[in-house]
Amino acid sequence: MTLSPSWALAGQAVDGVGDAHLTPGLHYRVLVGPLLGLPVVPLAVSRTSLGQEAKGYTRRDVVWVDSRRRILTPPFTVAPDNPVTAYFPAGRVCCWASVEARSESGPAGLLVEGVVATPYGDAPVARRGAAPYHVYASHLERVVVSGKGVVSGLAWLPADVVTGTDKFRTAPLPTRSGARYAGPDDGMDQGLGRVKAGAPQRYGMHEYPAATDPFSCPYADPAKEHDRVKALVPEPGKSLDRLVNDLSAPQWLLSAAEAVVDDDGEVLGGSERPLLMDLYQGAVDPGIARWLGLLDVDDLAPPLGTVMAYLVEGLFAPDWAALAQARLDPGPQVHDGAAAVHAIAQRAPELAQYADRVGQMDVGPFVRLHMILAVTAGHPLDPPGTLKLAAPVSGGWLPATAPAAERELVIGLDRLVPGAGLASALAQPAGATLAERNPELPPERRLLLTARDGTTSGLLADRDVGEQDGTWQLSQADWFGRWSTAERVDFAGADRPRPPRPVFTLTVRPPALTTPPQAGPLAGVLRVEVSVPPVSGLPAGGRLLQSLKLVVGGVQTVHTVTTAETMVVEVPGPALAPTATGAVTVTALWTDTAGADSDPAEPKQALFHDPRPPERVTVVPTLAYTARPDATGRARATLRWTPGPGQAAYRVFVADETTLGGQLADVAAGVIAAGDAGQAPSAAQAATLLAALRAAADAPARGAVWDANRHLLPRRWWRQLTAEPVPRPASGQAVFTHEVSGSLTVLTLFRIVAVSAAGVEADFRTSPLLPRAVPNLLVPPMPSVEVQPLADAARLTLTVPAGPTPAARYRIRRATATTETTLMPVVAEGALPAVPFTVLDTGLKPWLRYHWRAEVQGPPAPGGGPAGEWSAASPAVAADIMPPGPPDAVTDVTVTAEASGARIRFRHPGPLTGGATAGYAVDVYRSLPGEALRLFTTLPGHPRPADGWFEVPDPGGVTGTLYRVVVTDPIGRASRPSDPKEVP
């Protein structure tokens, strides 16, 4: 027999004396770890009396350590700010302890707590706040003394010293024998018998919210508890049956699929419910725990202060693989299950009958465990203390159909006892009567609630709280069914969500027009369609919608919500002048039954366009010409016009004389194409128009005929050039270009139709017609030029051969450095008279070679069209310009004597520029006294001095020296020599 570790098999006992709910007797509670599974045979419970305060069984070897980690030796004083802890020897299990202490008077007093360690931290499982300070549970790990008083010692009971117990009873599961369990056939009856025997004396505080303390609860009939549990056990009974008989997985892994449904019964999904954990969780209810055999009462009434010890022993078939993975060791494995049952039967003989059945089970190996539950008669542990409540926190609104509103309220709980069952009651609004919040099951009875997240502290959530403020009352019960007093906390109300933003669409209906259209302002109709959200589509916690506030152009109207899916509201639009455009901004708000408005809907703008046509385009319909054909053979026609009132855009149509003439010829011959009936002119009108076109003298005249008869030409005879209308320019004229073939010899005809902002077109038949022609006449023949040079001019004779295009104008180009036409400036142009034609080109400079080329231009196109084309330039002709004779002699020759010689000065009447030649040379001759005349120096004729005087210094000039000057031109012709001059 192995003493169980605390995680596997644990428990506690308590005397019900003086408790408001427990029936008189000693109550013991068994806790089984999930990995251990259910017992294989009924638990065996034996008992013994250890006498007054278990004297003769206890030990006193503990180590006292205060909160400042100082080791103390009794006697010592305990202060409120310095609790002291007693540590037991390592490897020993304490199941009962008595602290020898004296509490000092005052509110602090002394509190003794038996503590165990849990995954969530230390948890006090036994408390005693009055002498004698006895605390007990199967596995006390430490004893903590707090408050104010003097401690003189501690006696503790090791669990392993309790051995000689007497047969008492067994605790069979409320089921029949199966693959994992062997027990009596009347297990269900025994389970319900335990329920009735241990039934509470009063109803729980979770069923009577008006009770503020356990003694305020009304008395209960034990038969009522029997009926309550009997109504609850069918569902856990199914789980128990499967746990006992389903060998497909370890007990702790068996689960059942559960459908998750909403309040309307609609399936939202599924979940897996672990059967064993669910069964043990249900045992938080003391009635279910008694039914399972995990809680029972001994009606023995030992003398006051007597310590009774209960030995609880069981055989289990745990999941050894899971235990190994979790590094948990419950004790040695037992492979002979039958022998183990016989060993247990020494204290419970009725179990021997199940030994053979256990021996045949295929669920081993087993483990045989026991624990000791000690209790002091007449000195019960303290009942659960009042909970410490945090301020409730409001969560989000939960799904509920309006006008219902449910929110989640979460409260933090402290000072919880292990395995606490909770009683919850709410009053809304604050000051109202408290109402039970524990689920009703079975009818007129309530289930206990449990906290989550922690051992001594946790959270509790209520998911059915309204919008109002209120009071929350909570109390707790321990695993025996003893209750604490109630504690209350107020919570604030919550603002319900505002309605959703409206979603709407806008439709504009134009005003109806008469014939002819009305002249004054007209207003259309704005149709607003607002989708009414279904009740199920309202936000969680929201109220029903009551009205719609519609804001159109800053003016608000209110409309009652209807049951239709869509609300339709029609309001007049702005009154608009002909072809005008107006805009109206629309938004909307929902108002709920409490008068709360939603956020405004996203504003939308409705555009209103007056449906009346705009004025037609005004443009001069005379013939105009396209640009000249380009290198690709295309000619660009450019249309320009000034936008008029109401014109937002324009459509442009095109046709040519050949196409329209063919249509007219067919109509004149009586052939009406499909679609032309009722639109084409009559045969007589077509014939008259064709005759007028044939009689027209030229292209301008034909263009005028077409314009005068534009009303006869239906729209379908024209090709639309603008897939999208040409928008009206922000300023200036509207411009449209279109390319046509550069070889066209017929007119291209355009129609411009104005379009309003509403897309309404001006009347097509009266819209302007614009004729356009391509300037594609041939150029005149290339001329020829003859030149006769003169002294400072040239006589040019221009001759033009005969050709299809006569020459109307001429221009002559001249240059000295090039014969490239584009680089030669025009020096003469004008109308060309009869040819040959002579032109005198004057102002030429001597000593330059000039080049001339001539071009002639054809006449302009008819009707003020573009000027004619220029011909190719004639071949270049050239001539040199030079003076007819030698240069003139110099004048005003003077010679003056100077200290350093002589100086000769003279002038010349001409410019002496040499043009493209080497230039003029000015030779000065000198004759010294007694010598012949010789060349003294040569000066360039250009550039001449700024003042016009040539000066020649002669350092060797002496009195009597003679000087003469001669000018020579670029071709060597010399002037007359100047008169001789001597140095005086």
Side-chain angles (χ1 to χ4, degrees):
M1 181 173 62
T2 302
L3 187 63
S4 171
S6 60
W7 61 263
L9 187 65
Q12 191 174 41
V14 70
D15 192 342
V17 61
D19 187 74
H21 286 81
L22 294 186
T23 186
L26 302 179
H27 297 256
Y28 55 88
R29 177 66 188 261
V30 177
L31 304 171
V32 182
L35 293 180
L36 207 59
L38 294 171
V40 175
V41 293
L43 294 175
V45 182
S46 55
R47 69 184 180 185
T48 186
S49 173
L50 302 181
Q52 288 290 318
E53 298 193 354
K55 291 180 179 179
Y57 297 92
T58 59
R59 298 171 54 166
R60 306 182 68 83
D61 51 340
V62 296
V63 177
W64 293 97
V65 181
D66 68 6
S67 62
R68 300 179 179 89
R69 299 189 178 183
R70 295 179 301 183
I71 298 176
L72 305 178
T73 301
F76 54 81
T77 300
V78 179
D81 62 346
N82 188 19
V84 179
T85 302
Y87 292 89
F88 301 110
R92 306 304 297 270
V93 177
C94 171
C95 61
W96 181 92
S98 172
V99 176
E100 299 158 358
R102 181 182 76 256
S103 175
E104 295 188 4
S105 60
L110 278 181
L111 176 65
V112 177
E113 296 176 310
V115 177
V116 298
T118 73
Y120 297 98
D122 289 350
V125 295
R127 294 183 178 183
R128 178 78 178 174
Y133 296 104
H134 295 181
V135 289
Y136 33 87
S138 63
H139 297 78
L140 294 181
E141 298 180 10
R142 294 180 296 282
V143 171
V144 178
V145 182
S146 59
K148 188 175 183 181
V150 177
V151 175
S152 57
L154 182 148
W156 64 280
L157 176 66
D160 55 3
V161 303
V162 181
T163 55
T165 55
D166 300 325
K167 171 182 175 298
F168 178 41
R169 65 170 58 142
T170 60
L173 293 174
T175 186
R176 295 177 179 273
S177 297
R180 298 180 191 265
Y181 173 73
D185 291 340
D186 65 344
M188 175 64 78
D189 294 336
Q190 290 194 45
L192 292 175
R194 289 190 294 267
V195 171
K196 190 170 184 180
Q201 302 180 91
R202 300 172 185 267
Y203 287 101
M205 294 189 69
H206 61 304
E207 297 182 299
Y208 283 88
T212 58
D213 62 77
F215 288 94
S216 301
C217 296
Y219 285 98
D221 183 352
K224 296 286 188 180
E225 176 69 359
H226 173 276
D227 295 342
R228 180 186 76 86
V229 174
K230 186 176 181 179
L232 291 175
V233 297
E235 189 63 32
K238 294 178 184 177
S239 299
L240 181 61
D241 180 71
R242 187 174 166 202
L243 289 168
V244 166
N245 293 288
D246 189 345
L247 300 179
S248 63
Q251 285 182 329
W252 72 280
L253 291 178
L254 291 175
S255 63
E258 293 280 335
V260 179
V261 298
D262 61 13
D263 294 340
D264 298 326
E266 182 178 351
V267 177
L268 302 178
S271 67
E272 291 291 323
R273 177 172 57 87
L275 297 179
L276 185 60
M277 293 298 295
D278 190 54
L279 192 68
Y280 283 157
Q281 180 68 22
V284 170
D285 183 334
I288 297 297
R290 291 187 179 94
W291 175 70
L292 288 171
L294 302 179
L295 175 61
D296 207 349
V297 60
D298 182 0
D299 57 5
L300 180 69
L304 181 67
T306 300
V307 176
M308 293 294 299
Y310 295 89
L311 188 151
V312 181
E313 187 175 4
L315 185 68
F316 301 89
D319 183 356
W320 292 100
L323 290 174
Q325 186 175 6
R327 298 182 179 180
L328 297 175
D329 182 14
Q333 294 185 0
V334 175
H335 296 278
D336 189 345
V341 173
H342 282 298
I344 297 173
Q346 292 179 11
R347 293 184 179 84
E350 63 265 38
L351 298 184
Q353 59 183 311
Y354 308 121
D356 292 342
R357 186 178 184 91
V358 173
Q360 297 171 4
M361 289 183 181
D362 189 20
V363 295
F366 306 93
V367 63
R368 178 186 169 198
L369 299 175
H370 80 282
M371 65 176 174
I372 303 298
L373 305 180
V375 56
T376 304
H379 301 307
L381 299 171
D382 289 350
T386 303
L387 290 169
K388 181 180 180 181
L389 307 180
V393 177
S394 182
W397 292 99
L398 303 176
T401 302
E406 299 172 358
R407 59 174 167 140
E408 182 181 54
L409 205 61
V410 180
I411 189 170
L413 309 175
D414 201 5
R415 300 175 183 168
L416 286 168
V417 297
L422 300 174
S424 175
L426 286 182
Q428 280 191 287
T433 302
L434 288 164
E436 302 95 333
R437 307 301 286 182
N438 294 64
E440 184 178 8
L441 189 71
E444 299 183 2
R445 301 304 299 269
R446 301 281 172 173
L447 298 177
L448 290 172
L449 299 173
T450 57
R452 66 174 188 264
D453 301 337
T455 301
T456 61
S457 62
L459 300 173
L460 180 66
D462 192 317
R463 297 173 57 86
D464 190 16
V465 182
E467 64 181 299
Q468 299 169 315
D469 64 352
T471 300
W472 201 343
Q473 175 177 287
L474 289 159
S475 54
Q476 63 174 332
D478 62 13
W479 46 38
F480 295 102
R482 300 185 301 166
W483 284 94
S484 70
T485 58
E487 181 69 0
R488 295 180 181 180
V489 64
D490 293 332
F491 57 88
D495 294 330
R496 293 179 66 167
R498 294 192 295 168
R501 299 172 71 181
V503 177
F504 62 90
T505 58
L506 302 179
T507 306
V508 173
R509 187 169 68 243
L513 296 181
T514 60
T515 305
Q518 304 92 316
L522 295 178
V525 175
L526 175 63
R527 178 184 175 92
V528 185
E529 297 184 19
V530 187
S531 298
V532 180
V535 173
S536 59
L538 294 175
R543 300 181 181 88
L544 295 175
L545 302 180
Q546 180 166 307
S547 60
L548 173 72
K549 293 179 179 177
L550 188 64
V551 183
V552 180
V555 178
Q556 177 177 291
T557 56
V558 180
H559 309 271
T560 302
V561 173
T562 65
T563 57
E565 293 182 357
T566 302
M567 289 183 63
V568 179
V569 180
E570 292 188 348
V571 296
L576 301 177
T579 71
T581 298
V584 173
T585 300
V586 181
T587 187
L589 305 90
W590 290 118
T591 302
D592 63 20
T593 52
D597 289 338
S598 69
D599 288 332
E602 190 70 28
K604 294 184 179 180
Q605 195 173 65
L607 295 178
F608 288 83
H609 303 282
D610 186 83
R612 287 168 285 190
E615 294 183 7
R616 66 184 182 88
V617 174
T618 301
V619 63
V620 178
T622 55
L623 175 67
Y625 286 81
T626 68
R628 298 188 186 280
D630 59 20
T632 64
R634 306 295 293 174
R636 175 172 295 180
T638 301
L639 310 179
R640 300 177 185 273
W641 65 95
T642 300
Q647 298 171 359
Y650 306 91
R651 298 189 191 277
V652 181
F653 300 81
V654 69
D656 58 48
E657 286 187 295
T658 302
T659 302
L660 294 179
Q663 297 281 5
L664 290 171
D666 288 344
V667 172
V671 178
I672 304 297
D676 281 354
Q679 298 186 43
S682 65
Q685 290 173 323
T688 301
L689 177 54
L690 288 172
L693 292 170
R694 287 191 293 268
D698 52 17
R702 296 201 313 277
V705 172
W706 284 114
D707 179 63
N709 293 276
R710 64 183 184 276
H711 62 283
L712 298 177
L713 308 174
R715 177 173 176 151
R716 64 186 311 272
W717 287 4
W718 301 77
R719 179 167 62 94
Q720 182 174 316
L721 297 177
T722 49
E724 294 293 331
V726 178
R728 177 186 181 128
S731 61
Q733 288 191 313
V735 179
F736 180 81
T737 59
H738 177 65
E739 290 186 351
V740 298
S741 173
S743 61
L744 277 179
T745 58
V746 297
L747 298 180
T748 300
L749 308 174
F750 294 92
R751 303 291 291 270
I752 303 174
V753 179
V755 182
S756 72
V760 180
E761 294 182 357
D763 180 49
F764 182 87
R765 292 182 178 271
T766 59
S767 293
L769 183 149
L770 306 179
R772 293 292 184 267
V774 179
N776 50 15
L777 295 176
L778 298 177
V779 300
M782 182 177 66
S784 61
V785 179
E786 295 179 357
V787 59
Q788 179 186 357
L790 303 174
D792 57 355
R795 183 176 286 107
L796 304 173
T797 301
L798 182 63
T799 304
V800 181
T805 301
R809 292 182 62 81
Y810 75 93
R811 64 186 176 195
I812 295 176
R813 298 175 181 272
R814 180 187 69 203
T816 59
T818 181
T819 59
E820 176 63 39
T821 305
T822 57
L823 300 179
M824 300 175 71
V826 176
V827 295
E829 66 175 316
L832 184 67
V835 292
F837 172 63
T838 299
V839 177
L840 184 63
D841 187 6
T842 61
L844 305 182
K845 294 181 180 181
W847 308 111
L848 290 175
R849 167 161 287 194
Y850 287 91
H851 304 275
W852 290 269
R853 303 187 77 166
E855 300 164 292
V856 292
Q857 182 185 39
E869 292 276 7
W870 288 95
S871 71
S874 67
V877 295
D880 295 327
I881 304 300
M882 65 181 65
D888 294 331
V890 300
T891 63
D892 304 322
V893 179
T894 62
V895 177
T896 58
E898 295 181 346
S900 58
R903 182 175 296 276
I904 303 94
R905 299 180 77 242
F906 53 88
R907 293 189 298 183
H908 191 278
L912 300 181
T913 56
T917 66
Y920 287 83
V922 179
D923 297 327
V924 179
Y925 292 86
R926 181 182 71 174
S927 173
L928 296 172
E931 294 183 8
L933 192 65
R934 292 184 177 86
L935 180 64
F936 172 64
T937 186
T938 299
L939 303 176
H942 189 81
R944 64 192 300 167
D947 58 358
W949 287 91
F950 291 89
E951 293 188 9
V952 180
D954 183 9
V958 297
T959 302
T961 303
L962 183 73
Y963 299 94
R964 299 190 77 173
V965 181
V966 177
V967 178
T968 305
D969 66 14
I971 60 174
R973 293 181 297 180
S975 69
R976 179 177 56 81
S978 67
D979 294 335
K981 296 291 183 178
E982 290 184 1
V983 178

